[in-house]
Amino acid sequence: MRDGNWDAEDLADFRGSDEIMVRVRRPEGDLDEARPIWVVENEGKVFVRGYRGPDSAWYRRARTSGEGEVRTNGQWRPVQFTPATPDRQAIDEAYRTKYANSSYVSAILEDGPAAATLRVDAAEPGPEAA
């Protein structure tokens, strides 16, 4: 990963994983507890959505801090969360295709969760990782 982009191995892991584990940086500076979240990839970018829409506590923290970690390829990786302004249809289709066999897919396509879409960019490890 470099310059916010994920390498091919990480992208393949995101594509092949039903869920990823996410931890969001709290205002105090520590990370909250890990939680599983559905993830999709579209054109080399990684996206997550708050199932409960903008009211999701983790989503609100991610919007506020913009920082956290995701687990990919067996390792915790630092990330930046950015409000996504992608083509909603493309992200909806990525969710619809990847999670076609889930009875929950229709809920993640609703307006609330769609409004809580974040792009997940790779970030450089912070000084505490050294």
Side-chain angles (χ1 to χ4, degrees), residues 2-123:
R2 46 190 160 337
D3 301 330
N5 294 316
W6 296 99
D7 63 30
E9 188 176 323
D10 288 323
L11 287 174
D13 190 51
F14 288 128
R15 280 187 219 108
S17 298
D18 285 338
E19 299 174 326
I20 59 169
M21 297 303 289
V22 173
R23 299 189 294 205
V24 177
R25 186 145 325 271
R26 296 174 191 245
E28 302 80 27
D30 61 332
L31 293 165
D32 66 1
E33 62 184 65
R35 67 188 24 79
I37 297 180
W38 282 4
V39 60
V40 295
E41 178 269 337
N42 184 57
E43 297 182 4
K45 301 293 181 194
V46 176
F47 300 93
V48 295
R49 283 184 172 169
Y51 184 78
R52 291 185 178 92
D55 292 333
S56 299
W58 75 266
Y59 170 80
R60 289 192 319 267
R61 281 193 300 278
R63 283 286 313 260
T64 300
S65 76
E67 297 178 359
E69 293 181 343
V70 298
R71 190 160 179 84
T72 178
N73 287 315
Q75 297 179 34
W76 285 103
R77 307 287 179 89
V79 296
Q80 291 184 321
F81 298 105
T82 305
T85 55
D87 173 6
R88 176 175 171 183
Q89 288 181 319
I91 302 306
D92 281 356
E93 187 58 31
Y95 274 103
R96 189 176 292 111
T97 300
K98 184 172 183 178
Y99 299 103
N101 294 326
S102 173
S103 59
Y104 297 102
V105 71
S106 61
I108 204 77
L109 301 174
E110 292 177 3
D111 289 342
T117 303
L118 295 172
R119 191 179 71 229
V120 181
D121 295 322

